[in-house]
C-alpha cells in the first residue's frame, strides 16, 4: 500500500474507522486501539486505583469493541460508546471487589486473633510531600459523586476539551461546564485542610 | 455580582474564556472580597495539582496481549460455530441416537405385528371351516328355505320363468 494512502487512512475519524472495521478492515481496529488505550487507562485508573486492573479493564473494553462491533450505530459518537463500555466494565470490577471485600471481612470477623495495625505516621514518614498531596487529592476525587468525578477526571486530569467531554458523556456542553465548575468547588471543600 | 454568579464564572475566568469586560468586572469583585480571592486561588492550585497527577500508560505488551486474547476468543468462536444443522455436536449425537431408537422401535413393532398376523388368519380358518361344515351338515339337508343353500341353477331357472311370465303379461296387454 502506498504511504500516502496509509497516512490518509490514519487521519480518519473514529466513526469512519469504525465503519471500516465493521466492513472487515482489522487495521482500522488497531488504529482505534492505539488511539484510545492511553485515554481509557487514565480514565479507568481513577476508578480502580490500580494500574494493572485498569489495564485489564482496558483490554476487556477492546475485546468487547472487537466482539460487539456490529452493535455500534453511527448515530452515537464512537468515543461515547467506547467510554460507556469501559465505565460499565470498571463498575463491574468495583462490584466484584466489593463482594470480595465483604467475604474477606466476614472471614476476619470469625477469627479471634488480634492484629497490630501499623502506625500511619511511619507510612507518612516514608513518603515525600508531593506523594502525600497526590494521595489527598485522589481521595478527594473519590469522594465526589459519580458525575462530578467523571468530568473532573476527563477535564482536569486528562485535559480533554469540553466539546469532547460532552460527546463522551453524552450531555450538552453547558451541562459539562456547569458540572466541572461544581465539581471544582466541591473539591475545594475536601481539600480545604490541605490549603490551610 | 452575587455568590452564585461568581461561582459560575470561576472556571471561565481561570481558563481564559471570558471577555475583557467580564474579566475587569470579575477582578474588581475579587478585589473587594478576600474570601472569594482565596477561593479562586485554591481552585487554580487544585487544577494545577490535578494536571500534575501522574499519567498512567498501558504496558508495552498491551497490543501483544490483546491480540493473543483475541486469537483465543476467535478460536472459541470457531469451535462454537461447528454445528450440524444448527445442533451442537453433543446435541446432534443425542438427537441422532434418539432418531435411531425411534426407528428401531417402530421397526420392531411392525415386525411384531407381522409375527402375529398369520396366527390371526389361522384363528379365523376354523370359523370358515365350521361354516362349510355347517352348510354341508346333515341338519341342513332338505332345508330349501335358505336361498343361499339352493343351487345357483335353480335361481337362474326361476329368474327365467319370471321373465317369461312378464313377457306373457305384456303380450296379454297388447293382445
Amino acid at each position: 500500500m502506498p504511504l500516502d494512502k496509509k497516512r490518509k487512512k490514519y487521519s480518519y475519524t473514529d466513526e469512519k474507522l469504525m465503519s471500516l472495521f465493521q466492513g472487515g478492515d482489522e487495521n482500522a481496529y488497531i488504529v482505534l486501539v492505539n488511539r484510545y488505550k492511553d485515554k481509557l487507562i487514565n480514565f479507568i485508573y481513577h476508578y480502580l486505583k490500580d494500574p494493572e486492573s485498569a489495564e485489564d479493564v482496558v483490554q476487556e473494553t477492546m475485546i468487547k469493541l472487537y466482539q460487539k462491533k456490529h452493535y455500534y450505530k453511527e448515530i452515537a459518537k464512537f468515543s461515547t460508546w467506547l467510554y460507556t463500555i469501559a465505565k460499565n466494565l470498571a463498575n463491574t470490577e468495583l462490584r466484584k471487589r466489593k463482594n470480595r471485600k465483604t467475604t474477606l471481612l466476614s472471614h476476619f470477623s470469625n477469627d479471634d486473633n488480634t492484629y497490630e495495625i501499623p502506625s500511619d505516621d511511619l507510612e507518612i514518614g516514608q513518603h515525600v510531600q508531593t506523594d502525600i498531596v497526590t494521595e489527598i487529592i485522589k481521595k478527594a476525587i473519590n469522594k465526589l459523586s459519580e458525575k462530578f468525578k467523571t468530568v473532573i477526571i476527563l477535564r482536569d486530569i486528562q485535559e480533554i476539551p469540553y466539546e469532547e467531554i460532552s460527546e463522551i458523556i453524552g450531555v450538552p456542553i453547558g451541562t459539562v461546564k456547569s458540572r466541572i465548575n461544581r465539581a471544582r468547588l466541591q473539591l475545594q471543600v475536601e481539600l480545604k485542610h490541605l490549603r490551610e | 455580582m452575587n455568590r452564585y454568579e461568581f461561582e459560575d464564572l470561576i472556571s471561565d475566568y481561570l481558563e481564559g474564556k471570558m471577555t475583557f469586560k467580564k474579566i475587569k468586572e470579575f477582578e474588581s469583585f475579587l478585589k473587594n472580597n478576600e474570601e472569594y480571592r482565596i477561593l479562586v486561588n485554591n481552585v487554580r492550585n487544585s487544577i494545577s495539582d490535578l494536571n500534575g497527577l501522574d499519567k498512567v500508560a498501558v504496558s508495552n505488551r498491551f497490543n501483544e496481549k490483546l491480540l493473543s486474547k483475541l486469537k483465543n476468543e476467535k478460536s472459541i468462536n470457531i469451535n462454537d460455530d461447528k454445528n450440524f444443522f444448527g445442533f451442537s455436536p453433543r446435541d446432534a449425537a443425542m438427537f441422532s441416537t434418539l432418531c435411531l431408537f425411534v426407528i428401531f422401535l417402530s421397526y420392531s413393532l411392525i415386525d411384531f405385528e407381522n409375527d402375529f398376523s398369520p396366527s390371526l388368519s389361522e384363528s379365523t380358518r376354523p370359523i370358515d371351516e365350521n361354516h362349510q361344515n355347517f352348510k354341508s351338515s346333515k341338519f341342513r339337508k332338505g332345508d330349501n328355505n335358505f336361498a343361499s343353500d339352493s343351487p345357483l341353477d335353480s335361481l337362474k331357472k326361476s329368474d327365467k320363468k319370471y321373465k317369461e311370465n312378464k313377457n306373457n303379461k305384456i303380450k296379454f296387454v297388447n293382445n
Side-chain angles (χ1 to χ4, degrees):
Chain A
M1 189 187 282
L3 196 66
D4 287 349
K5 274 194 176 178
K6 215 171 189 176
R7 196 169 288 167
K8 200 181 175 184
K9 196 174 183 177
Y10 276 65
S11 65
Y12 282 152
T13 62
D14 297 340
E15 288 71 29
K16 180 68 191 166
L17 283 168
M18 196 54 195
S19 98
L20 285 171
F21 176 43
Q22 284 173 329
D25 185 352
E26 297 210 344
N27 286 327
Y29 171 72
I30 302 292
V31 178
L32 284 169
V33 168
N34 289 335
R35 202 175 271 188
Y36 277 94
K37 60 184 181 186
D38 285 325
K39 283 182 185 178
L40 284 179
I41 201 167
N42 276 294
F43 178 64
I44 298 299
Y45 173 69
H46 292 282
Y47 285 94
L48 302 181
K49 292 163 233 128
D50 168 26
E52 282 178 20
S53 306
E55 185 165 322
D56 287 343
V57 169
V58 177
Q59 289 248 336
E60 259 185 84
T61 309
M62 294 310 183
I63 290 168
K64 281 264 184 294
L65 164 65
Y66 190 92
Q67 289 172 333
K68 313 278 178 191
K69 61 181 173 187
H70 293 295
Y71 284 81
Y72 171 73
K73 301 276 178 288
E74 227 186 292
I75 45 168
K77 266 277 188 186
F78 172 78
S79 55
T80 312
W81 189 66
L82 195 67
Y83 271 87
T84 309
I85 295 173
K87 205 176 164 187
N88 288 342
L89 289 170
N91 283 334
T92 311
E93 177 60 26
L94 283 173
R95 268 199 300 276
K96 276 186 205 169
R97 278 186 188 183
K98 210 176 176 182
N99 290 339
R100 256 180 264 154
K101 223 177 191 175
T102 315
T103 322
L104 273 172
L105 281 172
S106 63
H107 274 294
F108 279 129
S109 62
N110 292 333
D111 204 344
D112 290 334
N113 292 338
T114 50
Y115 298 95
E116 201 173 305
I117 301 160
S119 166
D120 282 349
D121 295 340
L122 190 73
E123 200 178 284
I124 292 165
Q126 288 169 348
H127 286 83
V128 287
Q129 189 68 22
T130 48
D131 286 345
I132 301 165
V133 173
T134 305
E135 281 306 306
I136 292 167
I137 290 169
K138 280 180 184 174
K139 276 181 186 170
I141 293 168
N142 287 320
K143 279 184 183 173
L144 293 174
S145 68
E146 193 77 4
K147 58 181 183 181
F148 288 161
K149 195 164 134 180
T150 306
V151 289
I152 277 288
I153 292 168
L154 293 174
R155 178 67 196 149
D156 289 344
I157 299 173
Q158 292 193 243
E159 295 170 67
I160 296 173
Y162 283 98
E163 291 78 12
E164 213 175 308
I165 296 170
S166 153
E167 285 162 6
I168 290 167
I169 61 170
V171 296
I173 292 179
T175 312
V176 173
K177 279 185 180 176
S178 157
R179 280 187 192 176
I180 288 169
N181 218 15
R182 300 269 162 255
R184 281 172 179 168
L185 289 169
Q186 214 170 303
L187 211 56
Q188 291 319 300
V189 178
E190 299 294 335
L191 299 173
K192 208 175 177 181
H193 62 278
L194 189 75
R195 311 289 176 205
E196 283 167 355
Chain B
M1 190 185 288
N2 60 35
R3 187 183 170 92
Y4 296 110
E5 283 172 334
F6 164 77
E7 283 182 352
D8 283 341
L9 292 171
I10 291 177
S11 291
D12 283 347
Y13 174 72
L14 293 173
E15 291 180 11
K17 287 175 182 172
M18 256 183 186
T19 57
F20 187 70
K21 193 186 165 190
K22 279 264 180 190
I23 291 170
K24 283 271 174 198
E25 196 184 330
F26 193 83
E27 282 177 348
S28 67
F29 179 82
L30 287 181
K31 261 182 194 173
N32 301 325
N33 297 281
E34 202 193 338
E35 186 198 342
Y36 293 138
R37 202 166 55 242
I38 293 165
L39 182 66
V40 169
N41 280 334
N42 286 347
V43 173
R44 185 186 285 124
N45 289 336
S46 60
I47 290 172
S48 70
D49 285 340
L50 289 167
N51 287 339
L53 283 180
D54 290 338
K55 299 275 187 299
V56 191
V58 294
S59 64
N60 294 334
R61 292 187 64 240
F62 181 87
N63 283 14
E64 199 184 315
K65 276 199 291 188
L66 178 66
L67 289 175
S68 74
K69 276 185 187 176
L70 281 173
K71 271 181 191 170
N72 288 338
E73 290 284 329
K74 264 186 186 176
S75 66
I76 289 164
N77 287 339
I78 288 161
N79 287 335
D80 283 347
D81 287 345
K82 270 185 187 170
N83 57 37
F84 304 97
F85 302 108
F87 291 100
S88 69
R90 202 184 68 172
D91 289 347
M94 281 171 72
F95 186 69
S96 52
T97 311
L98 189 74
C99 283
L100 284 172
F101 178 71
V102 168
I103 291 164
F104 175 74
L105 194 73
S106 52
Y107 181 75
S108 51
L109 274 172
I110 291 162
D111 232 26
F112 178 75
E113 205 173 284
N114 286 340
D115 286 347
F116 272 86
S117 55
S119 61
L120 282 168
S121 58
E122 273 169 18
S123 66
T124 55
R125 202 173 296 152
I127 297 166
D128 291 342
E129 278 170 5
N130 288 341
H131 181 66
Q132 289 297 323
N133 291 340
F134 177 73
K135 279 206 293 188
S136 60
S137 67
K138 286 175 186 173
F139 303 106
R140 304 281 298 160
K141 272 180 184 171
D143 188 0
N144 293 326
N145 291 330
F146 291 95
S148 58
D149 292 338
S150 61
L152 279 170
D153 288 346
S154 66
L155 280 173
K156 279 178 185 172
K157 276 175 191 171
S158 62
D159 200 35
K160 273 179 186 174
K161 274 179 190 175
Y162 172 76
K163 277 181 184 173
E164 276 167 14
N165 289 336
K166 223 181 176 181
N167 288 339
N168 289 340
K169 273 183 185 173
I170 293 163
K171 273 176 190 174
F172 176 78
V173 170
N174 284 338
N175 289 338

